[in-house]
Amino acid sequence: MADTYDFGLVGLGVMGQNFILNVADNGFTAFGNDLDPEKVKALIKLGGDENKINASVAVTEFIKALKTPRKIMLLVPAGKVVDIVIESLLPHLDEGDIIIDGGNSFFTDTDRREAYLKEKGINFFGAGVSGGAKGARKGPSIMPGGSRDAYQHVKPIFEAVSAKYKGEPCVTYLGPKSAGNYVKMVHNGIEYGLMQLTSEIYDLLRKAGSLTNEELHKTYALWNEGRLQSFLVEITSKIFEQKDEFGNGNLVDQILDKAKQKGTGKWTSQNAMDLGIPVPTIDIAVSMREISALKSERIKADELYDRPTPESFDKKELIVKAENALYFAFIITYAQGMHQLADASKEYGYELKLTEIAKIWRAGCIIRAALLADIADAFKADENLQNLLLSTYFVEKVQETVDSVRELVAYGAKNGIPLPGLSNALTYFDAYTSTRLPLNLIQAQRDYFGSHTYERLDRKGIFHTEWGL
């Protein structure tokens, strides 16, 4: 058994188990490790042939089974657990071995771990994995960053197991240090935004158009055949079909409206603020999950305030406008995420290629969508494109849909239907495309009360006024 397995994986939960089986299915031998003997037994049973896939609870046995340089992937919860696993492996590793963090680690943790392990002669890189448990089994989108040389040892395996878009693997080396984990973080931030928007449109169709679950299923399924084709729209259409096993009609109607989160959306929002990059659609998606958690307070507040009865809206017209609005807002959300990636690349020295990022998101990952092929083309046509809204291709698409957004946001405001993601997307668009904003007044206020100075339109320099004199 010694030195015979191509790939090692620590953490045999659902994601880890599926990923290692995927590795074995694609012609590589793989050895797993987990503290839980039941998970080890389950993998061995599923793997079938011990020469192709095996596992152990013992770290020493696990390490000895791997070919050098050892390629060890961690699929364990982000945070302290990653550090604990690294420390358990270190005494048994040799110089040049490779540790890959496949979890949702915060990017600064990845930078810290890489520097720490580099001193010990061990290669470390973060590789975001998107696609959920099914993606891990059948082909995820993988976002690796770290040592370019170390990645070459893992490249054949990652390219084999990743999702494919028209034959192209949805994985590529993204850049040094924590580039991979950073891209996965922003991926998840975009995911928050798209999920919020999808749920808002559902709420609008329900309240304004009185669509039944069957009609919602058909509507989202139809949208998924067009320009909104995406994983999230696809699964949304299927959700409306699911019956409740307890016999209470459709399952979606019995699910509590409190959305949980693991922190990656919040990280995206916080870091965007650090960089000075506006991502309001992602920001509000995080905030709405926080508002949703205030269920008992929301019930009390609902009893205290009157809410308008929604005016009738022609069902067919509403569906057309809702499709326009969702497409518009999807574009805006991707634009915000890509803008953040571009600036982070400069700030942190990642050397990210946005075209390549859009390409590896086209299949396998949670935010995969037909729209990403157009996004990839836009950045390919102009590598220095500052924002998707400046792409001539997207100008046309946005112009075609923005009027529907304006109408629906106004309708939601008048009729008491919260559409924060959609309205924030519209506000972002209107602000970004405005030559002049009223922030001149804010600068005057800041100078008035704090002598913070200001700049002028008509001449260069920094100015201060003794206001009121």
Side-chain angles (χ1 to χ4, degrees):
M1 183 193 295
D3 304 331
T4 58
Y5 290 84
D6 301 313
F7 185 78
L9 191 144
V10 178
L12 301 179
V14 178
M15 280 287 291
Q17 182 186 89
N18 283 354
F19 194 92
I20 200 169
L21 289 170
N22 186 0
V23 170
D25 284 347
N26 280 281
F28 299 94
T29 55
F31 202 99
N33 171 255
D34 198 288
L35 294 175
D36 186 345
E38 294 304 315
K39 291 178 180 176
V40 168
K41 289 177 185 177
L43 178 64
I44 293 173
K45 184 178 180 180
L46 287 168
D49 186 347
E50 290 187 2
N51 293 319
K52 290 184 178 180
I53 191 164
N54 209 331
S56 173
V57 294
V59 173
T60 51
E61 184 180 356
F62 169 67
I63 297 294
K64 287 179 181 178
L66 303 175
K67 295 177 183 177
T68 55
R70 299 177 182 92
K71 297 166 282 293
I72 301 171
M73 188 167 186
L74 315 183
L75 277 173
V76 298
K80 291 182 180 180
V81 177
V82 177
D83 294 308
I84 291 169
V85 173
I86 289 172
E87 291 302 324
S88 72
L89 297 173
L90 264 180
H92 312 287
L93 298 179
D94 296 320
E95 188 172 339
D97 284 348
I98 304 162
I99 297 177
I100 308 150
D101 180 10
N104 285 326
S105 290
F106 191 51
F107 71 100
T108 57
D109 287 338
T110 299
D111 288 332
R112 169 178 58 79
R113 289 167 184 145
E114 186 202 32
Y116 170 68
L117 289 168
K118 190 173 183 179
E119 292 177 353
K120 300 180 180 300
I122 305 298
N123 294 299
F124 180 82
F125 62 89
V129 179
S130 178
K134 290 183 179 179
R137 187 69 183 87
K138 299 297 183 181
S141 173
I142 310 176
M143 294 154 254
S147 165
R148 184 185 293 273
D149 292 337
Y151 175 68
Q152 299 309 308
H153 293 285
V154 186
K155 181 181 178 182
I157 298 174
F158 277 7
E159 289 189 347
V161 304
S162 69
K164 307 296 184 296
Y165 180 85
K166 296 182 179 180
E168 292 183 50
C170 290
V171 59
T172 190
Y173 173 77
L174 292 173
K177 303 183 295 183
S178 55
N181 281 126
Y182 192 92
V183 170
K184 179 57 163 56
M185 179 187 76
V186 175
H187 163 287
N188 286 18
I190 294 171
E191 178 184 308
Y192 272 57
L194 302 183
M195 292 174 74
Q196 174 63 31
L197 292 162
T198 308
S199 70
E200 287 180 19
I201 294 298
Y202 147 67
D203 198 34
L204 186 66
L205 292 172
R206 221 170 30 117
K207 292 176 179 175
S210 300
L211 270 70
T212 64
N213 284 320
E214 179 60 24
E215 289 173 320
L216 288 164
H217 156 66
K218 290 180 178 178
T219 298
Y220 276 83
L222 181 64
W223 289 352
N224 192 53
E225 295 175 2
R227 60 185 178 179
L228 277 173
Q229 188 280 319
S230 60
F231 175 73
L232 287 172
V233 171
E234 176 188 351
I235 67 169
T236 300
S237 73
K238 294 177 179 178
I239 285 169
F240 294 122
E241 284 190 301
Q242 186 70 42
K243 298 299 180 183
D244 182 12
E245 62 178 311
F246 298 109
N248 296 317
N250 291 77
L251 178 57
V252 68
D253 297 325
Q254 301 302 324
I255 296 176
L256 184 64
D257 56 325
K258 287 172 63 174
K260 297 181 180 179
Q261 54 183 317
K262 291 186 175 180
T264 47
K266 178 183 70 176
W267 293 344
T268 305
S269 182
Q270 288 173 331
N271 183 252
M273 290 184 184
D274 291 338
L275 294 172
I277 301 300
V279 292
T281 313
I282 297 171
D283 294 340
I284 198 63
V286 176
S287 293
M288 285 305 294
R289 294 200 187 190
E290 293 164 347
I291 290 175
S292 80
L294 307 175
K295 178 67 173 179
S296 60
E297 295 177 42
R298 290 191 286 118
I299 292 172
K300 292 177 183 177
D302 193 10
E303 294 170 350
L304 295 173
Y305 296 94
D306 295 331
R307 184 178 299 277
T309 301
E311 298 173 1
S312 61
F313 206 126
D314 180 77
K315 189 177 291 188
K316 290 184 179 179
E317 182 185 358
L318 177 62
I319 290 172
V320 170
K321 292 183 183 299
E323 192 271 347
N324 280 337
L326 192 56
Y327 184 67
F328 168 92
F330 269 28
I331 292 172
I332 297 297
T333 306
Y334 281 112
Q336 292 172 13
M338 289 297 190
H339 189 188
Q340 182 169 347
L341 287 173
D343 273 59
S345 183
K346 297 172 186 174
E347 180 70 19
Y348 304 128
Y350 288 150
E351 303 168 11
L352 299 176
K353 293 180 173 58
L354 300 188
T355 305
E356 297 303 312
I357 293 171
K359 283 183 177 181
I360 67 172
W361 286 349
R362 291 177 300 179
C365 70
I366 302 301
I367 66 169
R368 61 183 182 265
L371 184 58
L372 281 160
D374 299 328
I375 292 172
D377 288 343
F379 283 110
K380 184 178 181 181
D382 181 2
E383 291 183 0
N384 297 314
L385 183 65
Q386 295 168 295
N387 191 301
L388 284 177
L389 292 176
L390 300 176
S391 165
T392 53
Y393 175 84
F394 282 101
V395 168
E396 180 182 349
K397 300 301 180 186
V398 169
Q399 293 278 44
E400 290 173 353
T401 54
V402 69
D403 286 345
S404 291
V405 183
R406 297 192 191 285
E407 184 173 347
L408 294 182
V409 167
Y411 174 88
K414 184 179 180 181
N415 291 277
I417 301 174
L419 300 171
L422 196 61
S423 58
N424 270 23
L426 178 61
T427 299
Y428 172 87
F429 168 74
D430 283 335
Y432 188 79
T433 56
S434 293
T435 298
R436 189 156 171 81
L437 293 170
L439 281 295
N440 54 315
L441 178 58
I442 290 177
Q443 283 301 86
Q445 292 169 334
R446 293 179 74 247
D447 191 55
Y448 193 113
F449 66 69
S451 301
H452 293 298
T453 72
Y454 56 87
E455 296 174 89
R456 296 178 59 97
L457 291 170
D458 57 352
R459 63 196 67 194
K460 291 184 178 181
I462 304 297
F463 297 87
H464 167 64
T465 293
E466 292 298 324
W467 298 87
L469 296 181

